[in-house]
Amino acid sequence: MSDLDVPLRPKRKKVWVDYFVQFRWILVIFIVLPISFSLYFFTYLGDVRSAWKSYKKRQKEHDENVQKVVKRLKQRNPAKDGLICTARKPWIAVGMRNVDYKRARHFEVDLSAFRNILDIDKDRMIAKVEPLVNMGQISRATVPLNLALAVVPELDDLTVGGLINGYGIEGSSHLYGLFSDTVVAYEIVLADGRVVRATKDNEFSDLFYAIPWSQGTIGLLVAAEIKLIHVKEYMKVTYKPFRGTLREIGQAYMDSLAPRDGDQDNPEKVPDFVETMIYTPSEAVVMSGRYASKEEAKKKGSVINQIGWWFKPWFYQHAFTALKKGEFVEYIPTRDYYHRHTRSLYWEGKLILPFADQWWFRLLLGWMMPPKVSLLKATQGEAIRNYYHEMHIIQDMLVPLYKVCDALEWAHREFEVYPVWLCPHRIFKLPVKTMIFPEPGFEFQNRQGDTKYAQMYTDVGLYYAPGPVLRGEAFDGAEAVRRMENWLLENHGFQALYAVSELNEKDFWKMYDAGLYEECRKKYGAVGTFMTVYYKTKKGRKSEKEVREAEQAHLETTYAEMEQPN
């Protein structure tokens, strides 16, 4: 067996759930899509109404809503009430993991009013926003001003709070890091009702570094100040087809973003945006983008592609054409480019609506795409949800750039999921050790993509049905995810917390660092008030008794083991 050979698996007998999933498109077309479009429309009207308000009016309403949160927290009786969580319904979250912690008795705090852009400060180059502001909303407000967040994750529905407390990446993350790395200040309501502003250099600097990836288990985020950058009207995108082995594809991807001479901070050598899509084990399209002015885009001979129109081919299929016609260059309006994967939900839309990529569907009903992920989750029962956990992969493997070739070969053997999305991101060397952190001593290795102040990582995005499932073979999704997590543990990788995890608590805290996180939970009163991040992301149902007992054991045992010398 060669390194890329996959094991032979027995055929799997179909059950009723298979047929329901196969014809789920009927439910999606007649129920999910119309409701999704209505929700998008009314949300848009609400955003417009908010934008008409003055800064003082929005800030006044924000302060009033913060005080409502403070008042609500002070109503909680720790002896009688459950642990604090938001009142947001479990199915509304965009992430794929079950929000089972809300099945236990809990004390709800309503944050639904926090969905406004509070200010766009052109002088400080800062956007102050509330946690439920989504990427579509903020790009509509900033791009016409030739401004944008430094990192704009592609899907419109992704919220600021989710991207900070969880995980957010974009094609510009090789320059700016993850979404949370672009935040300059957090406004947090602590367990005791105090409202604090945390920055990297004030008295709450420990809180500033502990909030990312904490999943709202230290305090309640009510606002964030995020870095803005100057942008131009268009993105000049170059599509380069590549054929070869997975290792050769991985190296071509590395070369697209990381000069071999180590000149990583030279804007002449490093593009503004990079991503690669691998369509088969031997075919990929390597893409790079640079901001371009309207004058450049409209020069004679330039090709402008307004991919945001509903009838346009889905972006990943459009990029695939480079494998047929060769390398080409085009100009895409900047906001359209930011949200290039929204209509098709990367390529998940093909599984949800098998014919939605056809020209006739795009023309007639494409304006209703995409279905809201939250509604897709709301219309699936537990049997369907479990089916997707077993027969579907939605995972992000975050691996050091120099290990991307190994990761691609491993993922092929285990999952056979294609397309694969590759997107680089920096993990910065910080004054303190946060939940995710670069490899010790990386700055002395002189590896491709690394600098003295940041190690380059790559998101290996796996979003589709595995090859064995598509061939009707037996596949154990939970066991495959366990093997993936073990591989990440062995290779200093991380798993995005929105996804379904099979990690036990001890291994969870081998993957992520608990030091600063636990210090802040103790210091700011989160212990016994908010659930720990492990139990908030843990797969499966949880009772309040289990959570409380587990938290006590977590304090007494897990960290004691971690603090022992190796």
Side-chain angles (χ1 to χ4, degrees), residues 90-91 93 95-103 377 380-382 385-386 389 498-501 535-542:
W91 53 269
M96 297 311 297
R97 61 183 170 78
N98 297 345
V99 192
D100 286 320
Y101 65 90
K102 291 195 176 183
R103 299 176 189 270
K377 291 171 65 178
Q380 64 185 28
E382 188 161 354
R385 183 171 58 181
N386 291 335
H389 287 175
Y498 77 86
V500 176
S501 173
Y535 274 88
K536 192 168 183 179
T537 58
K538 177 176 176 285
K539 178 182 175 183
R541 295 174 181 268
K542 291 173 278 287

Side-chain angles (χ1 to χ4, degrees), residues 61-70 114 187 189 195 222:
E61 290 179 355
H62 171 76
D63 293 339
E64 291 171 350
N65 288 328
V66 169
Q67 289 308 307
K68 290 178 183 177
V69 171
V70 171
F114 292 90
E187 185 179 356
V189 181
V195 182
V222 291

Side-chain angles (χ1 to χ4, degrees), residues 151 163-166 168 177-184 186 208 212-213:
V151 174
L163 296 167
I164 289 171
N165 281 298
L178 298 177
F179 186 86
S180 54
D181 292 314
T182 67
V183 179
V184 298
Y186 300 107
F208 175 84
W213 292 71

Side-chain angles (χ1 to χ4, degrees), residues 138-297:
I138 199 164
S139 65
R140 276 196 301 272
T142 58
V143 171
L145 304 174
N146 289 111
L147 299 173
L149 299 184
V151 174
V152 187
E154 292 90 345
L155 302 185
D156 284 27
D157 267 2
L158 297 174
T159 63
V160 166
L163 296 167
I164 289 171
N165 281 298
Y167 167 69
I169 190 173
E170 224 286 339
S172 60
S173 288
H174 65 299
L175 300 176
Y176 302 106
L178 298 177
F179 186 86
S180 54
D181 292 314
T182 67
V183 179
V184 298
Y186 300 107
E187 185 179 356
I188 304 290
V189 181
L190 300 175
D192 61 3
R194 281 187 296 160
V195 182
V196 302
R197 181 176 180 269
T199 70
K200 65 181 180 181
D201 51 12
N202 72 0
E203 61 181 306
F204 299 105
S205 61
D206 54 351
L207 187 62
F208 175 84
Y209 288 114
I211 288 297
W213 292 71
S214 67
Q215 296 283 318
T217 61
I218 298 176
L220 297 174
L221 176 70
V222 291
E225 297 169 44
I226 310 172
K227 178 180 179 179
L228 290 168
I229 60 171
H230 291 288
V231 300
K232 297 178 182 178
E233 294 87 352
Y234 287 86
M235 188 70 66
K236 180 183 179 182
V237 183
T238 302
Y239 304 80
K240 293 183 178 180
F242 189 90
R243 289 181 172 87
T245 66
L246 282 174
R247 298 199 76 83
E248 290 169 340
I249 290 172
Q251 186 59 56
Y253 159 73
M254 293 169 65
D255 292 341
S256 74
L257 67 109
R260 294 198 183 190
D261 61 5
D263 198 8
Q264 191 63 45
D265 291 324
N266 187 338
E268 297 298 319
K269 298 179 180 180
V270 181
D272 297 317
F273 277 76
V274 289
E275 69 177 329
T276 289
M277 287 183 278
I278 306 176
Y279 294 92
T280 73
S282 60
E283 296 179 310
V285 177
V286 181
M287 285 158 283
S288 60
R290 292 184 180 274
Y291 288 109
S293 66
K294 180 168 57 178
E295 291 73 23
E296 178 184 345

Side-chain angles (χ1 to χ4, degrees), residues 106 419 432 479 495:
H106 55 270
V432 294
E479 182 57 33
Q495 179 185 25

